[in-house]
Amino acid sequence: MKVRYRFLALILITSVMLNAQQHKIHSESFTTNKTTTAIFNLENVTVALEESIDGKVHVDYIMEFDGYSKKEINSFLDEIKVEVGKFDNHITLNASSENKISIETYEFKTTDAITINQSFFESKKDSVSRKSLDTLRLEIEQNNHSIQGNSLKYINDRFKKVDKNGKVTNFKKGGIKMMRSRFTIKIPPYLKLTVNAKESGLYIRHHLRNEFTGTLIGGALKTKEISNPYNKIKIENATLEAIAIDGGDFEFINLRNSKIGSIQNTKITSEFSKLEIGEIQKNVTITDFNSEYYFYNWAKDFKRFNLYSEYSKIHFFYPKLDYSFKVIGNNTKNFIGKYTIEMQPTKKGEKFNMMERKSQGKGEFSGEIFFDIIHGIIYSYNDSIKKTNN
């Protein structure tokens, strides 16, 4: 009896599957104007947002199958529901699937064991060295880039068959079933958009200037630049990867291994999350509980950065230009190279000045950094910080 293995890949694939069967799930367009609004309700689907250049909203959803029987295909298609309508200049889209649909799914039919190239799947170990903005952006882009060439090569680079004698071989086309989801929505830049997504993947492939609000629970949000001062987004139990964020209020709950290239004019409220930030620019405030942050770089004129935190772990890489740094709070450890400064709590829990670095008055001044932190840990990569008197 043949054994089937199914793997999901959340990557963007542009290669064409030969002999694949295409099935149109939905295709529809709507005219819009500057007062048009839209809400997308997504569950267990993966959607790509792109910019519309003709002032219309275009919804196109195609499924491709390779190696599946007609009965199997119909079974998958029966699980997918898409409803789109426009009423009183408001567009509503509801898209769902009974089971989670990734961009591409592989199903292997073999009696042999399968070995996995771990280098493609294992998370990289945390590094204590500074990452440049370009380095972090490149990591984000590589996680979301398009794969050129055939999918079979992609699979054999990551998976191998191992027979009972230990012989390792590649998969052949007949031994793999592939299912691909191509769900694209194009929106004009003035459309006011709300997205409510559950266990879904949302890929924003362009610079999104729209007013964007919504809640994403589970899945992933992966985007280029998001810039609008009225954005209000909540992301929970998911992964965020953004090249740049400019403006808006964000709430992060239990983000996993998330990355932001650059950020400015933004307020973040977070808890139980892990987030790397490549460069902090102007006017950023973070209020956190029990998360881990990496602040790698600072813009030449970041003005003011505020952190209010409790039980947080902060990796602070100091600015390269002149700056000021002040920490108030209590019960916090600060690791500076080989040295440790430990601030014990007061009996009444009052906050006091723990550390301070004043501007050196030399060269260009980049901004002020202010931490209000209790029960936390700071890893400071700068020996010019000193403990102040209580």
Side-chain angles (χ1 to χ4, degrees):
M1 181 178 68
K2 292 185 177 181
V3 180
R4 297 185 177 185
Y5 301 84
R6 181 175 294 176
F7 293 87
L8 302 180
L10 282 172
I11 55 172
L12 303 184
I13 306 290
T14 58
S15 59
V16 177
M17 293 194 304
L18 298 177
N19 302 320
Q21 299 184 54
Q22 288 193 350
H23 293 264
K24 183 181 293 185
I25 307 298
H26 198 97
S27 182
E28 195 169 359
S29 298
F30 300 91
T31 58
T32 67
N33 56 41
K34 292 186 177 180
T35 63
T36 304
T37 58
I39 183 169
F40 301 159
N41 299 310
L42 313 173
E43 184 171 359
N44 286 333
V45 295
T46 297
V47 175
L49 287 185
E50 298 180 357
E51 186 173 11
S52 171
I53 59 175
D54 62 3
K56 296 181 180 180
V57 170
H58 299 278
V59 180
D60 291 290
Y61 192 2
I62 294 173
M63 292 290 295
E64 294 181 342
F65 299 88
D66 190 9
Y68 288 94
S69 68
K70 184 176 181 180
K71 182 178 179 180
E72 289 173 321
I73 293 172
N74 289 335
S75 178
F76 284 118
L77 297 178
D78 287 342
E79 295 180 354
I80 302 171
K81 307 296 180 185
V82 178
E83 297 177 350
V84 192
K86 183 182 178 185
F87 177 74
D88 198 21
N89 210 26
H90 177 75
I91 298 170
T92 300
L93 179 146
N94 298 312
S96 63
S97 173
E98 294 179 15
N99 293 292
K100 191 169 184 178
I101 296 179
S102 182
I103 288 177
E104 184 156 288
T105 303
Y106 314 116
E107 186 172 338
F108 302 145
K109 299 183 298 180
T110 179
T111 57
D112 296 327
I114 294 178
T115 183
I116 300 174
N117 185 344
Q118 295 293 338
S119 64
F120 286 98
F121 298 95
E122 288 182 343
S123 299
K124 295 181 180 179
K125 294 182 179 180
D126 292 338
S127 172
V128 295
S129 61
R130 185 198 301 262
K131 294 182 182 179
S132 69
L133 174 58
D134 288 342
T135 295
L136 196 64
R137 282 178 170 171
L138 183 60
E139 289 181 10
I140 295 169
E141 290 172 349
Q142 286 178 336
N143 288 342
N144 304 308
H145 76 298
S146 299
I147 303 297
Q148 302 293 334
N150 65 70
S151 296
L152 187 60
K153 181 181 184 302
Y154 166 82
I155 292 170
N156 281 318
D157 284 344
R158 288 150 177 79
F159 306 98
K160 301 290 183 182
K161 291 194 300 182
V162 183
D163 64 20
K164 61 182 180 181
N165 297 318
K167 184 180 179 181
V168 179
T169 57
N170 287 334
F171 285 93
K172 296 182 179 180
K173 185 174 177 59
I176 303 173
K177 296 180 180 180
M178 286 182 279
M179 177 175 65
R180 178 178 300 155
S181 172
R182 296 189 179 190
F183 193 173
T184 303
I185 304 175
K186 295 182 179 181
I187 60 174
Y190 50 78
L191 183 75
K192 186 176 180 179
L193 176 64
T194 299
V195 175
N196 296 313
K198 183 178 180 181
E199 297 299 336
S200 296
L202 182 62
Y203 291 81
I204 303 175
R205 295 177 176 170
H206 66 292
H207 181 172
L208 186 73
R209 298 176 177 86
N210 306 62
E211 183 177 338
F212 179 31
T213 61
T215 301
L216 295 89
I217 300 176
L221 170 61
K222 302 192 177 186
T223 178
K224 291 185 179 294
E225 183 171 354
I226 301 176
S227 60
N228 192 295
Y230 302 105
N231 286 346
K232 193 173 181 64
I233 302 169
K234 177 181 179 181
I235 307 175
E236 183 175 353
N237 296 322
T239 299
L240 167 68
E241 292 186 344
I243 297 295
I245 292 176
D246 182 359
D249 294 340
F250 290 78
E251 182 180 359
F252 300 147
I253 302 174
N254 195 28
L255 291 195
R256 301 181 295 269
N257 297 321
S258 295
K259 298 178 173 69
I260 298 173
S262 62
I263 187 167
Q264 64 179 335
N265 303 317
T266 302
K267 292 182 180 179
I268 294 175
T269 302
S270 58
E271 59 182 63
F272 304 108
S273 297
K274 183 176 181 181
L275 185 63
E276 299 177 67
I277 299 178
E279 182 178 86
I280 293 175
Q281 300 176 352
K282 295 180 181 179
N283 305 321
V284 177
T285 296
I286 297 175
T287 302
D288 179 67
F289 178 80
N290 201 21
S291 297
E292 184 173 11
Y293 274 91
Y294 291 77
F295 303 140
Y296 288 124
N297 301 281
W298 306 80
K300 292 182 179 180
D301 186 18
F302 67 85
K303 300 291 187 184
R304 171 88 177 190
F305 172 75
N306 297 311
L307 171 70
Y308 304 94
S309 69
E310 186 174 1
Y311 293 103
S312 302
K313 182 185 292 186
I314 306 300
H315 298 267
F316 168 56
F317 295 81
Y318 59 91
K320 296 180 180 179
L321 298 178
D322 191 22
Y323 67 100
S324 65
F325 179 41
K326 185 175 183 179
V327 181
I328 69 169
N330 63 51
N331 195 25
T332 293
K333 289 184 178 182
N334 183 29
F335 296 92
I336 307 174
K338 298 181 291 183
Y339 304 98
T340 301
I341 301 174
E342 185 169 358
M343 304 300 171
Q344 296 297 329
T346 61
K347 291 181 179 180
K348 295 183 179 180
E350 303 100 329
K351 297 177 182 178
F352 54 88
N353 289 341
M354 294 193 296
M355 290 169 284
E356 185 171 13
R357 179 199 190 274
K358 294 183 179 181
S359 169
Q360 304 299 296
K362 298 178 181 179
E364 189 176 353
F365 181 73
S366 55
E368 300 174 305
I369 300 171
F370 175 73
F371 286 6
D372 182 335
I373 182 169
I374 59 176
H375 311 301
I377 299 175
I378 303 172
Y379 294 95
S380 293
Y381 302 92
N382 183 6
D383 58 6
S384 64
I385 300 169
K386 63 180 181 180
K387 177 181 176 181
T388 61
N389 295 327
N390 295 349

